[in-house]
Amino acid sequence: MLFANTILLENVQINLENTFESGQCFRWNKISEHEYEGVCFGEAVKINCINGLVRIKLNREAIQADEKIFRNYLDVSTNYEKILESLSAKSKFLKKALNFAPGIRILRQEPWETLCSFIISQNNNIKRIKDIIERLCYFFGKRISDYHFAFPSPEDLSKLTTENLELIRSGFRAKYIMDAARKVASGEVCLNSLKDMHTADAKLKLMKIDGVGSKVADCTLLYGYNRLDVVPKDVWMIRAMNSLFPNIKDLTEIFGEYSGIAQIYIFNYIRRNPWDLDVMKI
DNA sequence: GTCCAGGTTTTTA
DNA sequence: TAAAAACATGGA
């Protein structure tokens, strides 16, 4: 549904705060009680949601195609109510995590931005990840407004040197960003073609990039390619697995094809209630 | 000054 | 093969 510069999406089961603060994305910022501001698809966007009614405001007249883009971004056609019901039936802890922070959806983010963001995320904290990404956009992305900058394309970045990237203070990750930009821009790692590949093959391809290991590849697949069965194993998930499911090797043994969704609820809960792990330890 | 952060690579035993 | 150490930066 369209209204001037606003796109309306009705009956979307989403909690914007829980979704945007879940650690899957880095460019959304809260500007008021129910409203977030960010940059995606190269445009400045404001979004709010009250009682399942999502309003997406652009800096220009919205057209029909925009609605499709944002329906896809929020993945509104996936029935989270049904999935979450089935996941929480399989684990009491998941039910608890869902109750603690409901309405998290896995966004369908742009693959390059996702890959690049999670390369930056390694051995780093979320605040600094966000800061580095903003500097990357500020210095090397297209200017959209006084305050907004698009995420730079791999082609743009591939023309730079590691030294040029010192401006963003990403530390040892700069060489990894450059390797990713070069390999993606040259087509050596064709992000578009990953869409048609089996998850395991796509993961191997991503790991051809220097600085992309198992975890960064998994984040890219889950958040950039909507492979909902993929479970990124970061320090928090490893701690959680050891406490909650000590005799399980892989979350898919419990949660199956939607394990990635289970993962983000568990990750979010543990990160915000770290003391719970000590309580649960025997 | 020390430790740690949504890891990965390199070095060492 | 497995376990340490190194890697930049900034906040606690």
Side-chain angles (χ1 to χ4, degrees), chain A residues 106-115 184 189-197 199 202-203 206 217-230:
Chain A
I106 305 283
L107 302 167
R108 287 178 177 267
Q109 300 180 67
E110 293 162 278
W112 166 246
E113 177 171 339
T114 311
L115 170 62
V184 171
V189 176
C190 175
L191 294 185
N192 225 4
S193 73
L194 295 192
K195 291 175 185 166
D196 305 319
M197 292 169 63
T199 299
K203 180 168 178 173
L206 287 168
D218 282 346
C219 286
T220 306
L221 290 167
L222 179 59
Y223 305 128
Y225 291 88
N226 203 247
R227 303 294 170 103
L228 297 178
D229 59 322
V230 171

Side-chain angles (χ1 to χ4, degrees), chain A residues 10-48:
Chain A
E10 295 172 330
N11 297 319
V12 184
Q13 281 225 329
I14 189 168
N15 180 310
L16 291 184
E17 178 158 10
N18 292 338
T19 298
F20 291 153
E21 311 282 352
S22 67
Q24 65 176 305
C25 55
F26 303 96
R27 296 204 73 195
W28 289 103
N29 296 301
K30 195 171 189 173
I31 52 172
S32 67
E33 181 55 25
H34 290 104
E35 191 153 43
Y36 275 78
E37 177 183 56
V39 177
C40 60
F41 309 109
E43 293 195 65
V45 180
K46 287 182 184 173
I47 178 167
N48 69 36

Side-chain angles (χ1 to χ4, degrees), chain A residues 21 28 52 58 68 70 99 102 106 123 135 145 163 167 177 187 211 214 244 267 269 274 281:
Chain A
E21 311 282 352
W28 289 103
L58 307 179
K68 195 175 171 187
F70 283 97
N99 191 52
I106 305 283
N123 193 231
R135 285 194 290 272
S145 76
E163 290 70 40
L167 282 169
I177 296 170
S214 179
L244 299 169
F267 168 80
Y269 181 91
K281 261 183 191 146

Side-chain angles (χ1 to χ4, degrees), chain A residues 13-233:
Chain A
Q13 281 225 329
I14 189 168
N15 180 310
L16 291 184
E17 178 158 10
N18 292 338
T19 298
F20 291 153
E21 311 282 352
S22 67
Q24 65 176 305
C25 55
F26 303 96
R27 296 204 73 195
W28 289 103
N29 296 301
K30 195 171 189 173
I31 52 172
S32 67
E33 181 55 25
H34 290 104
E35 191 153 43
Y36 275 78
E37 177 183 56
V39 177
C40 60
F41 309 109
E43 293 195 65
V45 180
K46 287 182 184 173
I47 178 167
N48 69 36
C49 176
I50 297 169
N51 296 327
L53 178 63
V54 175
R55 290 171 189 272
I56 299 158
K57 294 176 211 165
L58 307 179
N59 272 338
R60 55 166 174 80
E61 184 109 358
I63 59 170
Q64 203 66 40
D66 298 320
E67 177 173 336
K68 195 175 171 187
I69 286 170
F70 283 97
R71 281 185 171 280
N72 180 63
Y73 182 71
L74 300 177
D75 195 24
V76 297
S77 63
T78 296
N79 187 343
Y80 270 69
E81 186 171 17
K82 188 176 160 193
I83 293 169
L84 291 169
E85 191 182 315
S86 114
L87 292 177
S88 48
K90 291 169 179 162
S91 157
K92 265 199 160 138
F93 186 82
L94 194 100
K95 195 173 245 176
K96 188 174 169 182
L98 174 59
N99 191 52
F100 172 74
I104 302 175
R105 302 180 79 89
I106 305 283
L107 302 167
R108 287 178 177 267
Q109 300 180 67
E110 293 162 278
W112 166 246
E113 177 171 339
T114 311
L115 170 62
C116 198
S117 297
F118 281 97
I119 286 172
I120 290 167
S121 80
Q122 65 182 244
N123 193 231
N124 213 341
N125 60 67
I126 291 185
K127 183 190 175 299
R128 209 170 83 88
I129 296 165
K130 292 183 72 168
D131 290 346
I132 291 169
I133 290 172
E134 281 317 300
R135 285 194 290 272
L136 180 71
C137 298
Y138 174 80
F139 286 111
F140 304 112
K142 185 183 162 204
R143 185 171 208 135
I144 302 166
S145 76
D146 287 353
Y147 309 101
H148 300 102
F149 300 84
F151 200 94
S153 69
E155 291 76 17
D156 290 340
L157 293 180
S158 68
K159 292 167 191 150
L160 304 175
T161 65
T162 319
E163 290 70 40
N164 293 331
L165 279 186
E166 282 171 9
L167 282 169
I168 70 172
R169 285 171 278 156
S170 61
F172 62 89
R173 304 163 193 84
K175 57 182 180 288
Y176 299 151
I177 296 170
M178 287 309 301
D179 192 60
R182 290 188 185 120
K183 283 178 177 153
V184 171
S186 74
E188 187 177 339
V189 176
C190 175
L191 294 185
N192 225 4
S193 73
L194 295 192
K195 291 175 185 166
D196 305 319
M197 292 169 63
H198 290 120
T199 299
D201 296 332
K203 180 168 178 173
L204 286 175
K205 196 80 177 170
L206 287 168
M207 289 175 68
K208 299 267 188 229
I209 296 165
D210 199 19
V212 176
S214 179
K215 191 269 177 181
V216 170
D218 282 346
C219 286
T220 306
L221 290 167
L222 179 59
Y223 305 128
Y225 291 88
N226 203 247
R227 303 294 170 103
L228 297 178
D229 59 322
V230 171
V231 178
K233 290 179 193 69

